[in-house]
Amino acid sequence: MNRPSGRAANQLRPVKITRQYTKHAEGSVLIEFGDTKVLCNASVSESVPSFLRGSGKGWVTAEYGMLPRSTNSRMRREAAAGKQGGRTVEIQRLIGRSLRAAVDLEALGEVSITIDCDVIQADGGTRTASITGACVALADALNALVAKGTIKSNPMTCMIGAVSVGIYEGEVVLDLDYPEDSAAETDMNVVMTSEGGFVEVQGTAEAAPFSADELNGMLASAKAGIEELFALQQAALAEG
Amino acid sequence: MNRPSGRAANQLRPVKITRQYTKHAEGSVLIEFGDTKVLCNASVSESVPSFLRGSGKGWVTAEYGMLPRSTNSRMRREAAAGKQGGRTVEIQRLIGRSLRAAVDLEALGEVSITIDCDVIQADGGTRTASITGACVALADALNALVAKGTIKSNPMTCMIGAVSVGIYEGEVVLDLDYPEDSAAETDMNVVMTSEGGFVEVQGTAEAAPFSADELNGMLASAKAGIEELFALQQAALAEG
Amino acid sequence: MNRPSGRAANQLRPVKITRQYTKHAEGSVLIEFGDTKVLCNASVSESVPSFLRGSGKGWVTAEYGMLPRSTNSRMRREAAAGKQGGRTVEIQRLIGRSLRAAVDLEALGEVSITIDCDVIQADGGTRTASITGACVALADALNALVAKGTIKSNPMTCMIGAVSVGIYEGEVVLDLDYPEDSAAETDMNVVMTSEGGFVEVQGTAEAAPFSADELNGMLASAKAGIEELFALQQAALAEG
Amino acid sequence: MNRPSGRAANQLRPVKITRQYTKHAEGSVLIEFGDTKVLCNASVSESVPSFLRGSGKGWVTAEYGMLPRSTNSRMRREAAAGKQGGRTVEIQRLIGRSLRAAVDLEALGEVSITIDCDVIQADGGTRTASITGACVALADALNALVAKGTIKSNPMTCMIGAVSVGIYEGEVVLDLDYPEDSAAETDMNVVMTSEGGFVEVQGTAEAAPFSADELNGMLASAKAGIEELFALQQAALAEG
Amino acid sequence: MNRPSGRAANQLRPVKITRQYTKHAEGSVLIEFGDTKVLCNASVSESVPSFLRGSGKGWVTAEYGMLPRSTNSRMRREAAAGKQGGRTVEIQRLIGRSLRAAVDLEALGEVSITIDCDVIQADGGTRTASITGACVALADALNALVAKGTIKSNPMTCMIGAVSVGIYEGEVVLDLDYPEDSAAETDMNVVMTSEGGFVEVQGTAEAAPFSADELNGMLASAKAGIEELFALQQAALAEG
Amino acid sequence: MNRPSGRAANQLRPVKITRQYTKHAEGSVLIEFGDTKVLCNASVSESVPSFLRGSGKGWVTAEYGMLPRSTNSRMRREAAAGKQGGRTVEIQRLIGRSLRAAVDLEALGEVSITIDCDVIQADGGTRTASITGACVALADALNALVAKGTIKSNPMTCMIGAVSVGIYEGEVVLDLDYPEDSAAETDMNVVMTSEGGFVEVQGTAEAAPFSADELNGMLASAKAGIEELFALQQAALAEG
């Protein structure tokens, strides 16, 4: 098998994590998975949604957007269309759920963190890049809260990483770019904690159903890839 | 382990499939998974969305809704709120993708089938009941097209079934009702073809990440449950 | 004159009232006027709209919807369209006003009842079936409030029934089904109290204006029909 | 009985009809029922809604609005709120239906007339003033089409007039102003053709149900009042 | 140069200011600039937007709308379209900013004034007519607050006037009507205080860029025109 | 006078123009005015809005957005709010008008260019940075159309530059950053062609009205600043 990208089956694209990318956000990370570039800005608010008021618990949520010309042909601006599309809503719910798996919301207290993941340039894998970058921005924002004295210690219990994996010409391939994703038989997004557990597994048969063996092959490849991402996250956070 | 419902770990709720439930739709199925009741109406339109016009291919899509008081406390009516919520959008996209995996869209020709899945009463598992019932409604609608002469033969290549599965007190349980779902550590929805392949696998850690072993345990339980559903679908369609 | 339905001019369709149709709502009634089937769920909220806060008075309101394929050809889902159509708004305002005529809102206290009337299958007369069924659901919900001790006695002062009546081929006909309604010269909806007073009279000339005599003929026929409906409501409530 | 307005029970407010009130519309009428002032502008479009394309038939429709401060306390602007309220929708549907009863839509041909009824100042009876004024604007717009040669003769088959009537302190009163309307037990809007038929009868019990006798008393009073309105319409059109 | 309107280059259209035009608003002014007619209603609310609560400061804001047939061809009603267009939003922001320049918001206290500017008939210059008329309505509303004792003295520090000016066939022309505006090379709206300062200067090249000299010529013409408007405002207010 | 930024009164912030910033757009420019960073992506569509179809003329338009955390405190995402705010609409209309002044739309033919200006980081002057950067992106997109053979020659007749200017402590200052803008008495945005004409002049008194002399002082400062911007645009385009 020759992947369209020429990469080895289990090879990630070059991943780059740039912290403090913008100046206003409490955590601001530009993450690049090859040509996919997502800006992840974490904002802190010392209040919580109404369903948590008085509970002593905090909240972590995400919003996702694509710049209209982040893609090959221009997409309609969602603000002009007057609503977020189904894919947008699905992705931002996934990002939020994934990040909440890393935070002890009781230890956070009644504080909300919103992570805006805005795709500057898209080439496949924007949701997994978003999760991986957002986790670093979240760490920075929570560290800022510790530094400021709002909370005593960082309530993150682990890091979160995510990658896509698929079946292309019958074989498992890691971190699909857009041409690969369009041609894959199956596409799966895997989200894991740095302690090795699965947080989300979302596999979708595109051209043909997949078997349990294929699913396990994809999970193994994703696990190896996400471990590389954890190392890159750690290296980025160590630079601080 | 004692499930809240008292069922065995691998036991489905009583499932009932009633065809021709309403009189106008080309396919109309009331599916019951215990106290969860979903009305699945398939409507045929001899036109396709603009992105398929002139392609010779057909389309299958789904819409999902919950009656405001299908749930324990009344939800706001989405038509009055002026938009469909994120969960609704996510579910109807899942139903549509799942059903398309069963249909040869080229053989269908430029015809659209819309399956409306409306939850009359909710008690957990509405999305998997919707998929399972919608597939029967789709079969009826396509058979009606054959009977009418619009298409020569039914373009379904298999049946589709779906069930939820989870980890409750550390063990795999099948087909969670609402109290079980609220208490589960992990919740997974599995969609399969009657030929044994996976179409969708969506696992979400609620309280704690899950391992590959747990995931495989859930898949095995789901597979067995979905095989029971296929038998029930076949029995219902045989009654014709 | 031969009505399309073959019924006598003053003959109602078979009417069936099923209480406790769903399990969550405080009052849940499926009402059938022939092939027209409407699910009426009453929900109790121990709060009132802002214009009544602090007034000591309660509120009764209604929402109405049609399942997309309750009708002969599929209608667009209002939640997907992003708003309720004019006909929907008009009908739910009518249902709400009609029901409020039966309740002593001061005796109710600061409690709101919302009746959701969702049309499962439509064959003419959905608004009059909704009002007639909603009144039973409202009675059940108020009785539940009495049983629970929230209020001392049921604040309903009467029952409410409604029927449509029209002029077809120059003669008054009662309870028009869809084919009859489409062919009628005039269509009128009449809402009455069980004490014999009119709550709403809405007559619309479709093909030709109507005279005062015709109007009185329609009122008389409606009155007789609604009396039959009151008997059916009483019988249903007596089963309790 | 002393009406709040001091008028006799069967006395209309001073009614004034001013044609050519604005310069752009094909028909432009300011109608005043006492302090209620509504501007009715008829616009002609040589096209029809999609459901009539190719049918050879025309269409007449209406839109209704209130200026935010036409009322005693400022109402929210519907354009800013992002939707038309239920009352607005109900009224504009009533105006449109009423006017269509006066026009032979086949004779009109594939032409649409939209009548915008905008309330400049409100003091009760805005819907009946709108219908009465809109009919004059419609006549002017249709005459303009005849003058222009688009149609050979005016396709109006009659004039349409409307008035409100109610029960106040047990007696029938005609053409209620806002204080009277607020205090009335029953409120009814009656729309008639100049040939003496009823087009719409919409009676609503506000404080107490009404009897058939009361309804007939209201109809008789309305009929006399509308006959006065027809004379005023004719006088206004004769001035041309 | 011959202006399409036949007016001298520096000649305003006939301007007419009618106070107390409607009966409910605290300030109600119909302003006419030739055939442009705008109804400006000022409404008082003894509360302020949330960003000012507790600040001790008041607020002045404006909303703008055009009746659908105020223009030569009917525009879609914004309430029906479900949103205010870009031009509407731009104009109402301009009116609000302009009026706030005339009011000492601290002296006003926590009171809001909303000025609704609704165009009854449009013939160019609706935004400048709106500002000029709204200022008079604002003065009346503030005087009413003084009369009522809510505030001790009128917090207006000056009057505000506005006019359009343009370059037509190379020459500066004042107060363009619609045909002139459509043909002008440049269009500028100028808002001034009665003390001679500029509040807003918005010049837009339509057909060709303009020079600093042309801009200064336009400013001079606008200043002279606005001085005439101040005299007319004073005369109108003196009539009281 | 000491400007908050420490710059000389007539000194621009460091301006940086980066072309080909993203890979999909026909023109893609990141423009930086100090800490203000705007991504300007030009997209080509070989169709025109309906009002130009068949006219032989092209169209240039713009959309503007701010990433939610481009600002000091997070703003609500407009796509989630369901509409673009008034300020957004006003700015994108200004950008579009300004750019159209540089293009011979007849020479362009029936082609549309949309320039998306998305603010990555905001520190005052986003609208003037957007216009200045968008003009370079537009030039690149039009050159690409020439290279592709769609049009014979580039239909731009000049370049467009824009800068803000204000009165701060009584003196004219150029290119205000956010703290300066917040403290200025007057704020003016000036858009010019490279041939020296004014395209837009929008001056707003914030704290105090301004005089004709102040306006002329601001225009002169803006003109000098924009000339610097034209040189930077030329240098950037020369690199290509």
Side-chain angles (χ1 to χ4, degrees):
Chain A
M1 180 213 56
N2 282 312
R3 294 178 68 161
S5 64
R7 280 183 278 144
N10 63 354
Q11 190 183 350
L12 292 175
R13 289 175 283 182
V15 172
K16 192 168 159 199
I17 297 173
T18 307
R19 287 164 62 214
Q20 280 112 34
Y21 188 76
T22 63
K23 73 172 188 178
H24 297 299
E26 284 79 12
S28 178
V29 167
L30 182 78
I31 189 157
E32 300 171 64
F33 274 30
D35 277 347
T36 289
K37 303 183 185 191
V38 185
L39 176 52
C40 307
N41 279 337
S43 298
V44 173
S45 160
E46 296 193 18
S47 70
V48 285
S50 56
F51 68 90
L52 286 175
R53 251 168 242 154
S55 69
K57 293 171 69 174
W59 193 240
V60 175
T61 188
E63 293 195 3
Y64 172 92
M66 299 184 89
L67 295 193
R69 196 58 196 280
S70 60
T71 45
N72 192 46
S73 54
R74 185 177 184 270
M75 300 186 317
R76 190 170 178 202
R77 185 178 290 266
E78 289 185 323
K83 65 173 190 173
Q84 296 180 299
R87 180 183 168 277
T88 294
V89 169
E90 200 172 295
I91 292 175
Q92 67 193 12
R93 284 164 57 91
L94 171 65
I95 301 171
R97 276 200 314 272
S98 297
L99 296 175
R100 284 192 293 276
V103 181
D104 178 342
L105 296 174
E106 302 225 3
L108 175 56
E110 292 203 12
V111 165
S112 298
I113 318 281
T114 302
I115 323 278
D116 288 288
C117 297
D118 284 278
V119 179
I120 305 296
Q121 189 172 277
D123 188 34
T126 64
R127 80 189 74 191
T128 51
S130 293
I131 293 167
T132 306
C135 185
V136 177
L138 175 61
D140 275 344
L142 291 170
N143 284 333
L145 277 176
V146 174
K148 200 182 148 193
T150 307
I151 49 178
K152 287 197 188 138
S153 61
N154 189 320
M156 286 184 79
T157 57
C158 58
M159 290 297 282
I160 298 288
V163 79
S164 74
V165 63
I167 307 285
Y168 175 77
E169 295 192 358
E171 286 188 41
V172 171
V173 291
L174 181 67
D175 186 25
L176 293 77
D177 61 22
Y178 182 75
E180 291 172 341
D181 187 52
S182 307
E185 290 110 56
T186 284
D187 178 33
M188 189 158 83
N189 292 291
V190 180
V191 184
M192 297 187 76
T193 69
S194 51
E195 292 166 345
F198 293 101
V199 173
E200 292 275 342
V201 172
Q202 297 198 341
T204 297
E206 301 285 347
F210 53 93
S211 67
D213 280 356
E214 287 174 321
L215 189 150
N216 281 305
M218 290 189 282
L219 287 179
S221 176
K223 187 166 206 262
I226 292 173
E227 277 162 12
E228 289 185 60
L229 294 174
F230 286 132
L232 291 162
Q233 286 178 333
Q234 285 312 116
L237 284 167
E239 279 174 32
Chain B
M1 180 213 55
N2 282 312
R3 294 179 68 162
S5 64
R7 280 183 279 144
N10 63 354
Q11 189 183 351
L12 292 175
R13 289 175 282 182
V15 172
K16 192 169 160 198
I17 296 172
T18 308
R19 288 164 62 216
Q20 279 112 33
Y21 189 75
T22 62
K23 71 172 188 177
H24 297 300
E26 284 80 11
S28 178
V29 167
L30 183 78
I31 189 158
E32 300 171 65
F33 275 29
D35 277 348
T36 288
K37 303 183 185 190
V38 185
L39 175 51
C40 308
N41 279 337
S43 297
V44 173
S45 160
E46 295 192 20
S47 69
V48 285
S50 56
F51 69 90
L52 285 176
R53 251 167 242 154
S55 70
K57 293 172 69 175
W59 193 239
V60 175
T61 188
E63 294 195 3
Y64 172 92
M66 298 184 86
L67 295 193
R69 196 57 196 282
S70 60
T71 46
N72 192 45
S73 53
R74 186 177 184 270
M75 302 185 317
R76 191 171 177 202
R77 185 178 290 267
E78 290 185 323
K83 65 173 189 171
Q84 295 180 301
R87 178 183 169 280
T88 294
V89 169
E90 201 171 294
I91 292 175
Q92 67 193 13
R93 284 164 55 91
L94 171 66
I95 302 170
R97 276 200 314 273
S98 298
L99 296 175
R100 284 192 293 276
V103 180
D104 178 342
L105 297 173
E106 302 225 4
L108 175 56
E110 292 202 12
V111 164
S112 299
I113 318 282
T114 301
I115 323 277
D116 288 288
C117 297
D118 284 278
V119 179
I120 304 296
Q121 188 173 277
D123 188 34
T126 64
R127 78 190 74 191
T128 50
S130 293
I131 292 167
T132 306
C135 186
V136 178
L138 175 61
D140 275 343
L142 290 170
N143 283 332
L145 277 175
V146 174
K148 200 181 147 194
T150 308
I151 49 178
K152 285 195 189 140
S153 61
N154 190 319
M156 286 185 78
T157 57
C158 57
M159 291 296 282
I160 298 288
V163 80
S164 74
V165 63
I167 308 284
Y168 176 77
E169 296 192 357
E171 286 187 42
V172 170
V173 291
L174 180 68
D175 186 24
L176 293 76
D177 62 23
Y178 182 75
E180 290 173 340
D181 186 52
S182 306
E185 290 110 56
T186 284
D187 177 32
M188 190 157 83
N189 291 291
V190 180
V191 184
M192 298 187 75
T193 69
S194 51
E195 291 165 346
F198 292 101
V199 173
E200 293 275 342
V201 172
Q202 296 198 340
T204 296
E206 301 285 348
F210 53 92
S211 66
D213 280 356
E214 287 174 322
L215 190 149
N216 281 305
M218 289 190 283
L219 287 180
S221 176
K223 187 166 205 263
I226 292 173
E227 277 162 11
E228 290 184 60
L229 295 173
F230 286 132
L232 292 161
Q233 286 178 333
Q234 285 312 115
L237 284 168
E239 279 173 32
Chain C
M1 180 210 58
N2 283 313
R3 296 178 67 163
S5 64
R7 278 183 280 143
N10 63 352
Q11 190 183 351
L12 292 175
R13 289 176 283 183
V15 172
K16 191 169 160 198
I17 297 173
T18 309
R19 287 165 61 215
Q20 279 113 36
Y21 188 75
T22 63
K23 74 173 187 176
H24 297 300
E26 284 79 12
S28 179
V29 167
L30 182 78
I31 188 159
E32 301 171 63
F33 275 29
D35 277 346
T36 288
K37 302 182 185 190
V38 185
L39 176 51
C40 307
N41 279 338
S43 297
V44 172
S45 161
E46 296 193 18
S47 70
V48 285
S50 56
F51 68 90
L52 285 176
R53 253 169 239 153
S55 70
K57 293 171 69 175
W59 193 239
V60 175
T61 188
E63 294 194 3
Y64 172 92
M66 298 184 87
L67 294 193
R69 196 57 195 282
S70 59
T71 45
N72 191 47
S73 53
R74 185 178 184 269
M75 301 185 318
R76 191 171 178 202
R77 186 178 290 268
E78 289 185 324
K83 65 172 188 170
Q84 296 180 298
R87 180 183 168 277
T88 295
V89 169
E90 200 171 295
I91 292 175
Q92 68 193 11
R93 284 164 56 88
L94 171 66
I95 302 171
R97 275 200 314 273
S98 297
L99 296 175
R100 284 192 294 277
V103 180
D104 177 343
L105 297 173
E106 303 225 2
L108 175 56
E110 292 203 11
V111 164
S112 298
I113 318 281
T114 301
I115 323 276
D116 287 290
C117 297
D118 284 278
V119 178
I120 305 298
Q121 187 172 279
D123 188 34
T126 65
R127 79 189 72 191
T128 51
S130 293
I131 292 167
T132 306
C135 186
V136 177
L138 175 61
D140 275 343
L142 290 170
N143 283 333
L145 278 175
V146 173
K148 199 182 150 194
T150 308
I151 48 178
K152 288 199 187 138
S153 62
N154 190 320
M156 286 183 80
T157 57
C158 58
M159 291 296 282
I160 298 289
V163 79
S164 74
V165 64
I167 307 285
Y168 175 77
E169 296 192 355
E171 286 187 41
V172 170
V173 291
L174 180 68
D175 187 25
L176 293 75
D177 62 23
Y178 183 74
E180 291 172 340
D181 187 51
S182 306
E185 290 112 57
T186 284
D187 177 32
M188 189 158 84
N189 292 290
V190 179
V191 184
M192 297 186 77
T193 69
S194 52
E195 291 166 346
F198 293 100
V199 172
E200 292 274 343
V201 171
Q202 296 198 341
T204 296
E206 301 285 348
F210 53 92
S211 67
D213 280 356
E214 286 173 321
L215 190 150
N216 280 305
M218 290 189 282
L219 287 179
S221 176
K223 187 165 205 259
I226 293 173
E227 277 162 13
E228 289 184 60
L229 295 174
F230 286 132
L232 292 161
Q233 287 178 332
Q234 283 314 114
L237 284 167
E239 279 173 32
Chain D
M1 178 212 58
N2 283 312
R3 295 177 67 161
S5 64
R7 279 184 279 142
N10 63 353
Q11 189 183 352
L12 292 175
R13 290 176 283 182
V15 173
K16 192 169 160 197
I17 297 172
T18 308
R19 289 164 61 214
Q20 279 112 35
Y21 189 74
T22 63
K23 73 173 187 178
H24 297 300
E26 284 79 10
S28 178
V29 166
L30 183 78
I31 189 159
E32 300 171 65
F33 275 30
D35 277 348
T36 289
K37 301 181 186 191
V38 185
L39 176 51
C40 308
N41 279 338
S43 298
V44 173
S45 161
E46 295 192 19
S47 69
V48 285
S50 55
F51 68 91
L52 285 176
R53 253 168 240 153
S55 69
K57 292 171 70 175
W59 193 240
V60 175
T61 188
E63 294 195 1
Y64 172 92
M66 298 184 88
L67 294 193
R69 197 55 195 283
S70 59
T71 45
N72 191 47
S73 52
R74 186 178 184 269
M75 301 186 317
R76 191 171 178 203
R77 184 179 291 266
E78 290 186 322
K83 66 173 187 170
Q84 295 180 299
R87 181 184 166 277
T88 294
V89 169
E90 202 172 294
I91 293 176
Q92 66 193 11
R93 286 164 54 91
L94 171 65
I95 302 171
R97 276 201 313 274
S98 297
L99 295 175
R100 284 193 292 278
V103 180
D104 177 342
L105 297 173
E106 302 224 3
L108 175 56
E110 291 202 12
V111 165
S112 298
I113 318 281
T114 302
I115 323 276
D116 288 289
C117 297
D118 283 278
V119 178
I120 305 297
Q121 187 172 279
D123 188 34
T126 64
R127 78 189 73 189
T128 50
S130 292
I131 293 167
T132 306
C135 186
V136 177
L138 175 61
D140 275 342
L142 291 170
N143 284 332
L145 278 175
V146 173
K148 201 182 149 194
T150 308
I151 47 177
K152 286 198 189 138
S153 61
N154 190 319
M156 288 183 79
T157 57
C158 57
M159 291 296 283
I160 298 289
V163 79
S164 75
V165 63
I167 307 283
Y168 176 78
E169 297 193 356
E171 286 188 40
V172 171
V173 289
L174 180 68
D175 186 25
L176 293 76
D177 61 25
Y178 182 75
E180 290 171 341
D181 186 52
S182 307
E185 290 111 56
T186 284
D187 178 32
M188 189 159 83
N189 292 290
V190 179
V191 184
M192 297 186 77
T193 69
S194 51
E195 292 166 345
F198 293 101
V199 173
E200 292 275 342
V201 172
Q202 296 199 341
T204 296
E206 301 286 346
F210 52 92
S211 66
D213 279 356
E214 286 174 320
L215 190 150
N216 281 304
M218 290 189 282
L219 288 180
S221 177
K223 187 165 205 261
I226 293 173
E227 276 162 13
E228 289 184 59
L229 295 174
F230 287 133
L232 291 162
Q233 286 178 332
Q234 285 311 115
L237 285 168
E239 279 174 32
Chain E
M1 179 211 59
N2 283 313
R3 296 177 66 162
S5 64
R7 279 182 279 144
N10 63 354
Q11 190 183 351
L12 292 174
R13 289 175 283 182
V15 172
K16 192 169 160 197
I17 298 172
T18 308
R19 289 165 61 214
Q20 279 112 36
Y21 189 74
T22 63
K23 73 173 188 178
H24 297 301
E26 284 79 11
S28 177
V29 166
L30 182 78
I31 190 159
E32 301 171 63
F33 275 29
D35 277 347
T36 289
K37 301 182 186 191
V38 185
L39 175 52
C40 307
N41 279 338
S43 297
V44 173
S45 160
E46 295 192 20
S47 70
V48 285
S50 56
F51 69 91
L52 286 176
R53 253 168 240 153
S55 70
K57 293 171 70 174
W59 192 240
V60 175
T61 188
E63 294 194 2
Y64 172 92
M66 298 184 88
L67 295 192
R69 196 55 196 283
S70 60
T71 45
N72 191 47
S73 53
R74 186 178 183 268
M75 301 186 318
R76 192 171 177 201
R77 185 178 291 266
E78 289 185 323
K83 67 173 186 169
Q84 295 180 299
R87 180 183 168 278
T88 295
V89 169
E90 200 172 296
I91 292 176
Q92 67 192 12
R93 285 164 55 90
L94 170 66
I95 301 171
R97 278 200 313 274
S98 297
L99 296 175
R100 285 192 293 276
V103 180
D104 178 343
L105 296 173
E106 303 225 2
L108 176 56
E110 292 202 12
V111 165
S112 298
I113 318 280
T114 301
I115 323 276
D116 288 288
C117 297
D118 284 278
V119 178
I120 304 297
Q121 187 172 280
D123 188 34
T126 65
R127 78 189 73 189
T128 51
S130 292
I131 293 167
T132 305
C135 187
V136 177
L138 175 61
D140 274 342
L142 291 170
N143 283 333
L145 278 174
V146 174
K148 199 181 150 195
T150 307
I151 49 178
K152 286 198 189 138
S153 61
N154 190 319
M156 286 183 79
T157 58
C158 57
M159 291 295 284
I160 298 289
V163 80
S164 74
V165 63
I167 307 284
Y168 175 77
E169 295 192 357
E171 285 187 42
V172 171
V173 290
L174 181 68
D175 186 25
L176 294 75
D177 61 25
Y178 182 74
E180 291 172 340
D181 187 52
S182 306
E185 290 109 56
T186 285
D187 178 31
M188 189 158 82
N189 292 290
V190 179
V191 184
M192 296 187 77
T193 69
S194 51
E195 291 166 347
F198 293 101
V199 173
E200 293 275 342
V201 172
Q202 297 199 341
T204 297
E206 301 285 348
F210 53 92
S211 67
D213 279 357
E214 286 174 321
L215 189 150
N216 280 305
M218 289 190 283
L219 288 179
S221 176
K223 187 166 206 257
I226 293 173
E227 276 162 14
E228 289 184 59
L229 295 173
F230 286 132
L232 291 162
Q233 286 178 332
Q234 285 313 114
L237 285 167
E239 280 173 32
Chain F
M1 180 209 60
N2 283 313
R3 295 177 69 161
S5 64
R7 278 183 279 143
N10 62 354
Q11 190 183 350
L12 292 175
R13 289 176 283 182
V15 173
K16 193 170 159 197
I17 297 173
T18 308
R19 288 164 62 215
Q20 278 113 35
Y21 188 75
T22 63
K23 73 173 187 176
H24 297 300
E26 284 79 12
S28 178
V29 167
L30 182 77
I31 189 159
E32 300 172 64
F33 275 29
D35 277 347
T36 289
K37 302 182 186 190
V38 185
L39 175 52
C40 308
N41 279 337
S43 298
V44 172
S45 160
E46 295 193 20
S47 70
V48 284
S50 56
F51 69 89
L52 285 176
R53 253 169 240 154
S55 70
K57 293 171 68 174
W59 193 240
V60 175
T61 188
E63 293 194 4
Y64 172 92
M66 299 184 86
L67 294 193
R69 197 56 195 284
S70 60
T71 46
N72 191 48
S73 53
R74 184 176 185 272
M75 300 186 316
R76 190 171 179 201
R77 185 178 290 267
E78 289 185 323
K83 66 173 189 171
Q84 296 179 299
R87 180 184 167 276
T88 295
V89 169
E90 200 172 295
I91 292 175
Q92 67 193 11
R93 285 164 55 89
L94 171 66
I95 302 170
R97 276 201 313 273
S98 297
L99 296 175
R100 284 193 292 277
V103 180
D104 177 343
L105 296 173
E106 302 224 2
L108 175 56
E110 293 203 12
V111 165
S112 297
I113 317 281
T114 301
I115 323 276
D116 287 289
C117 297
D118 284 278
V119 178
I120 304 298
Q121 187 172 278
D123 188 34
T126 63
R127 78 190 73 190
T128 51
S130 293
I131 293 167
T132 306
C135 187
V136 177
L138 175 61
D140 275 343
L142 291 171
N143 284 332
L145 277 176
V146 173
K148 198 182 150 194
T150 308
I151 48 177
K152 288 198 186 137
S153 62
N154 190 319
M156 286 183 80
T157 57
C158 58
M159 291 295 283
I160 298 289
V163 79
S164 75
V165 64
I167 307 284
Y168 175 76
E169 296 192 357
E171 286 186 41
V172 171
V173 292
L174 181 67
D175 186 25
L176 293 76
D177 61 23
Y178 182 75
E180 291 172 342
D181 187 51
S182 306
E185 290 111 56
T186 285
D187 177 32
M188 189 158 83
N189 292 291
V190 180
V191 184
M192 297 186 77
T193 69
S194 51
E195 291 166 346
F198 293 101
V199 172
E200 292 274 343
V201 172
Q202 296 198 341
T204 297
E206 301 285 348
F210 52 92
S211 67
D213 279 356
E214 287 174 321
L215 189 150
N216 280 304
M218 290 190 283
L219 287 179
S221 177
K223 186 165 206 258
I226 292 173
E227 276 161 13
E228 289 184 60
L229 295 173
F230 286 132
L232 291 160
Q233 287 178 332
Q234 285 311 116
L237 285 168
E239 280 174 31

